[in-house]
Amino acid sequence: MRNLPLLFASALLFGQACLAEAIYVLYDQDSPQASYAARKLKQALDATGHDVLEQRSGYDRLMNLGLNSGRLSPEGFQIIPEDQVVSVLGGDERGLIYGTFALIERLENGVALADVPSFEETPHFEFRGIKYNLPWETYRPSSALDQHYETARDPKYWEAFLDMMVENRFNVISLWNMNPFTYMVKPENFPEASPWNDEQQAEWESLYREIFRMAKERALDTYIVQWSIFTSEEFSKAHGIAERNFYPHYYVPGDTSELLRRYLRESVTQILNTYPNLDGIGISHGEGMAGMTPLERQKWMDDVMIAGMLEADRKVKLIHRVPFSSGTSSDPGVSKNVEQVTRDAMERLEDRFDGPIWVEMKFNWSHAHSTPKLVKVHGGKLGDTYFDPLPENYKIVWQARNEDFFCLRWGVPSFIRQHIALNGEADYVGGYFIGSETYIPALDYFTASNRSVDWKYAFQRQWLFYKLWGRLLYDPETPDSVFQAEFNRRFGSDGDNLLNAYSLASSTQLRLASLYDSRWDFTLYSEGFLALQGEETKYIGIDQLISHPTMDPSYVSVSEYVETLRTGGSFGAGQITPLQLADTLERDNREALRLVSSIDTSSSDSLLYEVSDVKAWAQLGLHLAEKLRGAVALHSYRLSGDSDQKRDAIAHLERALQHWDQVIAITRPLYRDMPLTHYNHNSFDANPDNLFHWALIRDEVARDLEIAKTEE
């Protein structure tokens, strides 16, 4: 089979070969970051047909990679072409890397070195991070997470992932699991806590050292983050304490014994001293602390985690997650008293940590990809205690969690820009995390095995998602042309309409998540139209759609809409009714289908997947449009007895099922049945019967039609 991206790249190289030059790259060879930037630039120059010289003589053009902290802000960069010299200057090492990749991007998009323009960029946010849940002792037990174990132990995987991060201008990688200490060190005073022999321990330490080394080389800040009072099973059994405070248990009582305090405090210090390239630690007033009051939890944090960090041989960075519970259970909750206790504790730390304390808050709980309006955090509505008066030693970082789409590619640049405009301009905001709790972007467990594609790992499938978030967090004014150019680099002119098509079609996910209120992880899985209902995760049926409240306060639920109109009420111009939403879904998704209708995917399996995901999102959007219309008609029939409404409901739900069948037809040849963490249902235990595919739940979807037909 012909490979379209290779043909396009070949044509590009042929054109550039005519402009090939002898290039010398000048850089500080003693700097790991400058050496990394130079290595990547040399690779790009070689790939685009240039001759990279080893000696500084006989060159046609000199690439000058350097620093100018007096002229440029931290992480900023400037590219200055002058005759035979192109200078890439950074305000610091990180800015130098970004500037180098900005130049590489232009080369890969076909810009000749002689035509490189002069330009300068500076970052909008200080903190642009990825939350990465590790597959060992990860937060939720599930084969959907365990399956990544071997991939995530491969340094080659981390090299690719960290390259992606810096290419997209993320600057923080945070590694999350319940008890990192077991893997990172054998505690000096508690060797019985380790389950490993010396060879196994050395392997784990080698992996972490290499991850942190590669991150430092790429000027990425690194953190480990854990969930509070957890230890190893070996430590627990050796001392008869913390009897359930180890994987896979997480909603467990807090063990405040002095021996456990010492073990954890010393482990924190030992880890920071063992790994000099590890920048900081994140703390959570979270699970493993049931039975403790918020004040007791804060005092434990100060005595154990904070104290351990402050005893390290250097100043380190701190991520302080806001408390999840306002009572003594592990259940979510917010209160002004807890907010004040937490603020006071952070302010007492003054400047004892490196830089501001980063205070993490979950935006719209676990489902930030919904409405860009802040409706809630973990536990409920957020007060103003953390913001008023303005803090001096900490800044808020929003955690934009994705528990909604893992298989289908996603990309809506206007949503991210609006999110930043609404929530990122205040002085107290330092940036964002993106990441997931129920998904790990490592093993590609989606792609049908007989396909020849241009990616290896799961995160590479979702390149647009990472590129949009990373580049727009760095500069929200980055134009769509930057992202469109990447489609064209990959697919030539066949990629012309793909950014617009994705923006229209994958907005279906945002609209469903705005329409359907959600809280923690399992309460919604948008790409599958699944939600936790009672004790079970299942398809959002017609009755659930009618009665369920909305996330976005401007959206109107089906029940509210029908019942308000029956009593003579009306809705304001700023409100979005179910029928208006249905019309918007219909318009946008039919346009998305039109945009990709003429793309010939026979030459590239990779292009086939990109186009097919647009089509799948569009059919899901058309399914939701018809389902909304059917829900309005069915609820109207139930209240009025008008048989015309019942007939309309049946007709709409028949069309909704037809669109679902189109989703199946598109995705069945391309995607495997996929393990899904949400299928743990309302349980703390792993569920082995956890495979998802749209085809597997067709019976649940068809039940809507039967409900309408049998309605009396």
Side-chain angles (χ1 to χ4, degrees), residues 71-130:
R71 181 191 306 171
L72 300 169
S73 62
E75 302 188 70
F77 66 85
Q78 189 175 29
I79 294 180
I80 307 171
E82 299 172 306
D83 297 326
Q84 288 182 284
V85 178
V86 176
S87 293
V88 181
L89 304 179
D92 54 15
E93 287 83 0
R94 190 175 284 163
L96 174 61
I97 292 174
Y98 296 160
T100 303
F101 273 108
L103 177 59
I104 291 171
E105 183 176 67
R106 280 160 175 76
L107 293 175
E108 291 180 339
N109 289 338
V111 177
L113 283 171
D115 297 328
V116 170
S118 177
F119 64 98
E120 180 178 340
E121 295 188 37
T122 56
H124 184 79
F125 288 118
E126 298 174 66
F127 190 106
R128 306 178 303 279
I130 288 182

Side-chain angles (χ1 to χ4, degrees), residues 65-357:
L65 310 186
L67 303 178
N68 193 325
S69 58
R71 181 191 306 171
L72 300 169
S73 62
E75 302 188 70
F77 66 85
Q78 189 175 29
I79 294 180
I80 307 171
E82 299 172 306
D83 297 326
Q84 288 182 284
V85 178
V86 176
S87 293
V88 181
L89 304 179
D92 54 15
E93 287 83 0
R94 190 175 284 163
L96 174 61
I97 292 174
Y98 296 160
T100 303
F101 273 108
L103 177 59
I104 291 171
E105 183 176 67
R106 280 160 175 76
L107 293 175
E108 291 180 339
N109 289 338
V111 177
L113 283 171
D115 297 328
V116 170
S118 177
F119 64 98
E120 180 178 340
E121 295 188 37
T122 56
H124 184 79
F125 288 118
E126 298 174 66
F127 190 106
R128 306 178 303 279
I130 288 182
K131 164 189 164 63
Y132 192 107
N133 278 29
L134 295 167
W136 41 90
E137 296 200 17
T138 195
Y139 179 69
R140 297 192 184 280
S142 172
S143 64
L145 306 175
D146 297 341
Q147 65 182 333
H148 301 280
Y149 189 91
E150 291 303 324
T151 305
R153 291 195 65 178
D154 183 354
K156 288 294 185 184
Y157 164 75
W158 286 103
E159 181 180 14
F161 190 83
L162 298 176
D163 277 345
M164 177 278 294
M165 287 189 63
V166 73
E167 287 169 15
N168 292 321
R169 303 184 194 173
F170 291 102
N171 63 4
V172 173
I173 176 68
S174 57
L175 305 177
W176 302 51
N177 68 341
M178 287 176 59
N179 178 29
F181 316 121
T182 299
Y183 298 87
M184 299 181 71
V185 293
K186 179 170 285 188
E188 294 171 356
N189 291 317
F190 299 95
E192 70 276 12
S194 175
W196 318 115
N197 61 36
D198 289 345
E199 181 181 357
Q200 292 169 326
Q201 185 69 51
E203 289 175 356
W204 281 111
E205 291 187 18
S206 176
L207 174 63
Y208 275 97
R209 287 184 191 279
E210 184 62 6
I211 292 171
F212 297 148
R213 183 200 68 78
M214 289 190 291
K216 187 62 64 177
E217 179 184 51
R218 290 156 177 76
L220 293 164
D221 287 344
T222 52
Y223 295 80
I224 57 170
V225 187
Q226 54 85 247
W227 273 270
S228 301
I229 308 180
F230 293 102
T231 182
S232 68
E233 186 173 2
E234 288 75 14
F235 179 90
S236 175
K237 289 181 175 178
H239 299 287
I241 59 178
E243 296 180 353
R244 285 175 54 81
N245 294 66
F246 51 82
Y247 182 82
H249 315 294
Y250 50 97
Y251 265 38
V252 293
D255 187 306
T256 60
S257 60
E258 286 301 322
L259 193 66
L260 182 55
R261 287 174 184 255
R262 179 181 175 184
Y263 158 68
L264 291 173
R265 182 168 53 244
E266 291 183 1
S267 293
V268 168
T269 305
Q270 186 177 340
I271 281 174
L272 290 168
N273 292 343
T274 300
Y275 297 93
N277 286 329
L278 173 62
D279 292 289
I281 290 179
I283 62 172
S284 307
H285 295 229
E287 288 72 21
M289 304 187 92
M292 301 170 67
T293 67
L295 183 58
E296 289 171 335
R297 297 179 192 205
Q298 184 62 60
K299 288 181 176 179
W300 187 93
M301 284 292 169
D302 293 342
D303 183 55
V304 179
M305 302 298 294
I306 298 294
M309 295 174 71
L310 293 175
E311 289 168 9
D313 59 9
R314 58 196 163 88
K315 203 171 186 178
V316 299
K317 299 177 184 292
L318 173 63
I319 294 171
H320 194 302
R321 307 185 70 203
V322 298
F324 306 149
S325 303
S326 56
T328 58
S329 73
S330 295
D331 293 330
V334 294
S335 78
K336 185 173 181 62
N337 177 62
V338 175
E339 292 171 2
Q340 192 62 57
V341 166
T342 308
R343 175 167 185 155
D344 291 345
M346 291 189 295
E347 291 183 331
R348 283 195 299 271
L349 293 171
E350 298 177 333
D351 62 349
R352 301 177 72 185
F353 286 92
D354 181 12
I357 298 169

Side-chain angles (χ1 to χ4, degrees), residues 539-543 623 627 634 653 656 699-709:
Y539 173 75
I540 300 170
I542 191 74
D543 289 324
H623 167 80
K627 187 181 177 85
L634 182 60
L653 294 174
D699 288 348
E700 295 180 49
V701 180
R703 198 169 299 136
D704 284 351
L705 184 55
E706 293 307 309
I707 289 172
K709 286 180 176 179

Side-chain angles (χ1 to χ4, degrees), residues 499-559:
L499 179 64
N500 193 16
Y502 266 106
S503 184
L504 292 168
S506 59
S507 289
T508 293
Q509 179 274 318
L510 299 171
R511 287 163 176 156
L512 176 60
S514 297
L515 172 70
Y516 191 93
D517 190 33
S518 57
R519 295 172 290 113
W520 59 283
D521 309 357
F522 299 172
T523 57
L524 186 61
Y525 172 53
S526 297
E527 74 179 353
F529 276 60
L530 302 180
L532 183 66
Q533 300 163 58
E535 296 298 307
E536 185 179 355
T537 299
K538 56 187 177 181
Y539 173 75
I540 300 170
I542 191 74
D543 289 324
Q544 185 74 2
L545 186 67
I546 288 171
S547 62
H548 199 74
T550 66
M551 165 77 85
D552 189 323
S554 66
Y555 277 55
V556 179
S557 71
V558 172
S559 59

